[in-house]
Amino acid sequence: MEEKLDLKKENIIPDPWSLPLETLDVSKAELFQNNKHGEYFRRLRKEAPVHYCPDSMHGAYWSITKYNDIIAIDTDHKRFSSDTNIVIGDVPEPEFVAPMFIAMDEPKHGVQRKTVQPAVAPTQLSEMEEALRQRVCKILDDLPINEEFNWVERVSKELTTQMLATLFDFPFEDRHLLPYWSDVSTTTTTTGQDVDMFERQRILAEETLVYFSKLWHKRAAEPKKFDFISLFAHGEETKDMINNPAEFLGNLILLIVGGNDTTRNSISAGVVELNRNPKEYDKLKSDPSLIPNMVSEIIRYQTPLGHMRRTALEDVEFRGQKIRKGDRVVMWYVSGNRDEEVIDNPDEFLIDRDKARQHVSFGFGIHRCMGNRVGEMQLRILWEEILKRFDRIEMTGEPERVLSNFVMGYSNVPVIVHKK
Amino acid sequence: MVKVVFVEHQGNQHEVNAYKGESLMEAAVSNDVPGIDADCGGNCACGTCHVFVNADWLSKVGQRSEMENLMLEYAENLKSNSRLSCQIEISEELEGLTVELPKEQY
């Protein structure tokens, strides 16, 4: 019965080539949940690479779908603003606006980002590598053998949660709160889900903010350390952020989501794609030195965050299209990473791909992902330790994807782990 | 061809023959010099081709653009002689140019 319902859901997603181009809407979250978005973007890249959709649940929006056009918009921050809105749907004003530096323009964005960036810059990360490896080993050694379980829960979510707890120096026993709050934040009407925004706001304000405010006061009273809260609390320009609860909450959400949904889904995607491409799994096992390159390929192939949105600050003529002041401009990273003009055989998952680092998943310009090295490090260490222990992580059923046009993720990846 | 030298963080030297008109980043990548990631392929958009230009050469490699300045502000270990190597164009004037690489790109 359940299977029939699923089939029906897929059937209601029409073939994009059968629809009128003028009204093609790629923002529907169910496209991504059913993994049907690929052909939609292929058509846009081919027939209308800078495309105006006149109507959607988020209103009208431009789609930027080609690799180089995404770089052009992403680096043009003076004309394409990140202020307040960085996903396709507008934050309902004013009660839900939570300012965070990813959704600010210069100079404020730079000031806040530079304050917390040292927590995830290479020097600090190399200090953490050994401790992270021990945690990875523990997670892997505790896995059931020859018994089906959900890889997302036991590994992807657990590892990223532990890493994030370290970056916040968050009480370890309460660490499960972090992915919980992350999921609450990313379940929002602004990325295509139907949800009670007031209840979402209540949880974030009454639970997340209250918990972190206590942490802040503790860190402010102690000497400065290299965790996010301490860096904010001692930062010359940010030490009063605690008096601006909306902005404190906004930045917390940014750092929690940034460290959760992204790497979590790349960890899951690695297992999914290696199972779908057994030749690649064989390559990996015979040559573990491919791991760093594979990590970049996973991040390209999965594109953990499908898009980022900007708002035009002035009229701009772009690739022959007239983008007007105030228009929403959506850079579909998930499409740029499949641009056949820039990436050879982009639909293939190849762990030894040439120039695998040249993907758009981290974005470009001043808002480029701050935690990219943390994500890469977690994936690298995880796969190093997997190869030492396991002959194979066998995917035993179809993975389930999440409903969102922003988070490209998995809720369930059933696996059986086979020991070496 | 123009001879340029990359010095890794721990001291390893790589002497490379660069083509006039290409960027210093391209010269490094096409000669497999380790330590230059160049994730954006030369668009001054990622900050992962960071180098330190030896003092003697600073005036010859030109000025940072506004965008390069902005990107470098987010690099680790920004110094007054920091440059993004994708923004330095190889010319005959740069024969012998020596740059140092950071321990890691960010």
Side-chain angles (χ1 to χ4, degrees):
Chain A
M1 188 65 195
E2 231 177 65
E3 260 185 32
K4 273 184 187 164
L5 280 174
D6 277 354
L7 269 176
K8 204 178 160 199
K9 205 172 182 182
E10 283 195 33
N11 282 340
I12 60 170
I13 293 175
D15 174 2
W17 302 89
S18 72
L19 299 170
L21 182 64
E22 300 71 36
T23 52
L24 200 68
D25 178 11
V26 290
S27 75
K28 291 176 178 153
E30 59 266 28
L31 294 182
F32 302 89
Q33 185 180 36
N34 290 292
N35 207 11
K36 295 284 181 191
H37 55 281
E39 278 303 300
Y40 279 72
F41 286 112
R42 194 189 313 282
R43 182 164 187 211
L44 286 193
R45 285 194 304 274
K46 193 166 178 231
E47 297 183 353
V50 177
H51 175 262
Y52 186 71
C53 176
D55 192 26
S56 79
M57 72 172 280
H58 308 290
Y61 65 93
W62 291 94
S63 282
I64 310 294
T65 56
K66 300 278 286 179
Y67 184 103
N68 285 313
D69 290 348
I70 288 170
I71 296 186
I73 300 287
D74 227 352
T75 52
D76 196 350
H77 56 267
K78 283 188 177 164
R79 295 193 295 175
F80 295 98
S81 168
S82 294
D83 188 9
T84 308
N85 287 302
I86 49 138
V87 293
I88 184 165
D90 293 355
V91 182
E93 300 247 25
E95 61 268 48
F96 298 113
V97 173
M100 52 184 81
F101 65 78
I102 195 174
M104 292 174 191
D105 290 332
E106 300 298 29
K108 206 171 174 188
H109 154 265
V111 167
Q112 297 195 356
R113 174 174 170 147
K114 281 173 216 162
T115 303
V116 285
Q117 188 176 284
V120 288
T123 304
Q124 184 62 15
L125 289 189
S126 51
E127 304 255 321
M128 283 186 237
E129 176 157 348
E130 213 27 64
L132 175 65
R133 187 177 298 277
Q134 282 172 21
R135 287 182 174 173
V136 168
C137 292
K138 173 90 170 72
I139 290 171
L140 295 178
D141 289 338
D142 286 349
L143 292 177
I145 303 297
N146 299 329
E147 181 188 313
E148 191 178 84
F149 65 91
N150 180 3
W151 181 264
V152 176
E153 288 295 327
R154 293 288 300 252
V155 182
S156 313
K157 210 165 163 179
E158 185 56 32
L159 176 56
T160 44
T161 299
Q162 292 190 16
M163 184 75 223
L164 200 57
T166 306
L167 294 173
F168 276 108
D169 195 12
F170 192 86
F172 206 63
E173 63 281 9
D174 288 343
R175 65 184 186 277
H176 64 277
L177 289 169
L178 294 167
Y180 165 62
W181 289 332
S182 179
D183 290 344
V184 169
S185 326
T186 54
T187 307
T188 152
T189 55
T190 60
T191 54
Q193 296 104 334
D194 185 17
V195 62
D196 180 350
M197 290 294 276
F198 285 96
E199 174 60 7
R200 173 182 177 274
Q201 187 72 0
R202 189 198 62 76
I203 295 170
L204 294 173
E206 292 179 13
E207 298 179 16
T208 318
L209 188 59
V210 168
Y211 194 107
F212 272 100
S213 295
K214 284 183 198 153
L215 265 191
W216 175 291
H217 289 298
K218 202 164 158 257
R219 296 290 145 73
E222 296 164 354
K224 180 177 166 180
K225 298 186 291 135
F226 276 89
D227 65 79
F228 288 139
I229 303 298
S230 188
L231 289 167
F232 267 143
H234 290 272
E236 197 46 46
E237 308 272 354
T238 52
K239 61 181 191 293
D240 297 325
M241 195 188 284
I242 190 73
N243 301 322
N244 185 346
E247 189 169 299
F248 183 37
L249 179 62
N251 278 310
L252 289 170
I253 293 173
L254 165 62
L255 296 169
I256 293 173
V257 173
N260 244 308
D261 261 317
T262 51
T263 310
R264 180 200 302 176
N265 292 315
S266 293
I267 290 174
S268 303
V271 169
V272 173
E273 298 312 331
L274 286 172
N275 272 275
R276 285 180 178 158
N277 300 275
K279 272 189 193 161
E280 300 304 301
Y281 210 152
D282 292 343
K283 266 190 219 168
L284 174 67
K285 281 165 70 175
S286 60
D287 185 3
S289 75
L290 288 171
I291 289 173
N293 206 72
M294 176 182 78
V295 166
S296 291
E297 176 68 349
I298 291 172
I299 295 168
R300 176 191 77 90
Y301 204 81
Q302 182 62 18
T303 319
L305 297 182
H307 79 268
M308 283 284 170
R309 169 262 179 100
R310 302 290 181 252
T311 307
L313 290 179
E314 56 187 82
D315 291 356
V316 177
E317 170 128 4
F318 187 76
R319 307 285 180 258
Q321 302 294 318
K322 286 194 170 66
I323 298 175
R324 281 174 302 270
K325 182 180 176 177
D327 283 356
R328 292 186 188 84
V329 180
V330 180
M331 303 173 288
W332 291 103
Y333 296 155
V334 71
S335 172
N337 278 334
R338 293 289 189 280
D339 187 345
E340 31 304 81
E341 263 182 45
V342 178
I343 299 168
D344 293 336
N345 305 313
D347 291 323
E348 286 179 33
F349 175 77
L350 300 169
I351 66 167
D352 50 358
R353 176 179 289 284
D354 190 30
K355 293 182 182 162
R357 294 198 61 86
Q358 291 187 15
H359 58 71
V360 298
S361 299
F362 293 137
F364 288 112
I366 58 172
H367 290 283
R368 182 174 164 82
C369 176
M370 179 179 94
N372 58 356
R373 301 298 178 182
V374 189
E376 289 175 347
M377 181 170 84
Q378 289 178 81
L379 284 160
R380 172 174 58 79
I381 293 175
L382 177 70
W383 282 101
E384 285 169 1
E385 296 303 326
I386 286 174
L387 290 185
K388 285 180 198 164
R389 282 169 178 71
F390 304 132
D391 178 59
R392 197 168 144 78
I393 299 158
E394 179 195 358
M395 189 163 76
T396 48
E398 270 305 294
E400 286 164 35
R401 295 170 60 99
V402 302
L403 177 72
S404 174
N405 59 33
F406 180 60
V407 173
M408 303 289 109
Y410 295 99
S411 52
N412 187 19
V413 177
V415 298
I416 292 178
V417 163
H418 302 279
K419 255 193 160 158
K420 246 183 167 173
Chain B
M1 299 297 264
V2 178
K3 188 189 83 180
V4 293
V5 183
F6 296 88
V7 184
E8 283 184 75
H9 180 73
Q10 80 283 29
N12 284 352
Q13 292 212 6
H14 302 266
E15 202 176 294
V16 157
N17 287 316
Y19 292 98
K20 272 187 282 180
E22 72 175 343
S23 73
L24 184 62
M25 176 278 282
E26 288 167 324
V29 170
S30 58
N31 287 283
D32 294 323
V33 175
I36 298 276
D37 289 339
D39 290 1
C40 75
N43 285 284
C44 193
C46 71
T48 65
C49 65
H50 185 188
V51 298
F52 305 110
V53 177
N54 280 13
D56 308 347
W57 295 94
L58 260 185
S59 59
K60 294 188 182 142
V61 293
Q63 299 283 316
R64 294 179 195 160
S65 68
E66 191 187 344
M67 188 63 187
E68 186 182 346
N69 258 327
L70 262 181
M71 292 310 297
L72 278 169
E73 280 183 32
Y74 296 102
E76 205 179 24
N77 295 319
L78 174 66
K79 296 181 191 172
S80 58
N81 62 340
S82 287
R83 289 297 309 269
L84 293 180
S85 55
C86 72
Q87 300 302 301
I88 295 176
E89 190 185 323
I90 300 292
S91 64
E92 276 171 1
E93 236 201 335
L94 298 184
E95 173 71 27
L97 169 68
T98 303
V99 298
E100 288 173 34
L101 303 180
K103 190 173 171 210
E104 281 167 287
Q105 298 288 348
Y106 175 38

